[in-house]
Amino acid sequence: MEEPPNLSEHQLEVRHRLSANLKRLRALRGLSQEALAARAGVHRTYASQVERKVVNTSLDNIALLAQALEVDVAELFSSGDVASVTARPALKKADSLTERKTRRKPG
């Protein structure tokens, strides 16, 4: 893969972290690039381009990818294996509210 021209070492490192974490988290959840893209509401080829470090993705799209993976945005930029793979508390809370509503008896 050819790196985009005119990027600093720091910019390349940030893209590498994002790429590596997307791949790792996607694999942990058993998702294909196509499934991740569908969950995030982006095109399949765009998700591939982000993972291959080809595009300069926007913060909005990073937020969509993080939401699709049920992680905080910061987790997509963490270094090493220290990133957790737990769902965000806000998503857990929403799930528990849904669960409580479905347990109620009608009428």
Side-chain angles (χ1 to χ4, degrees):
M1 174 195 65
E2 187 176 319
E3 297 291 346
N6 302 319
L7 293 179
S8 71
E9 285 185 39
H10 180 69
Q11 288 171 303
L12 292 172
E13 172 59 26
V14 170
R15 284 191 185 192
H16 176 75
R17 283 186 195 177
L18 176 61
S19 171
N21 286 321
L22 279 174
K23 290 175 189 176
R24 179 179 57 80
L25 292 165
R26 182 174 57 78
L28 282 171
R29 285 158 176 71
L31 296 173
S32 65
Q33 285 179 341
E34 188 170 3
L36 173 61
R39 280 185 174 195
V42 300
H43 196 276
R44 172 191 53 80
T45 58
Y46 184 77
S48 171
Q49 290 172 336
V50 174
E51 283 192 4
R52 291 183 292 121
K53 303 173 271 189
V54 174
V55 294
N56 181 17
T57 189
S58 71
L59 183 57
D60 291 338
N61 285 332
I62 291 168
L64 290 172
L65 291 165
Q67 184 177 27
L69 291 166
E70 299 180 334
V71 298
D72 190 79
V73 169
E75 194 162 339
L76 294 179
F77 294 100
S78 68
S79 58
D81 295 328
V82 296
S84 68
V85 291
T86 58
R88 293 182 303 181
L91 294 176
K92 287 182 180 178
K93 183 177 180 181
D95 289 343
S96 67
L97 289 174
T98 302
E99 186 178 312
R100 275 189 261 150
K101 287 180 182 177
T102 58
R103 279 194 250 156
R104 290 184 185 167
K105 294 181 181 179

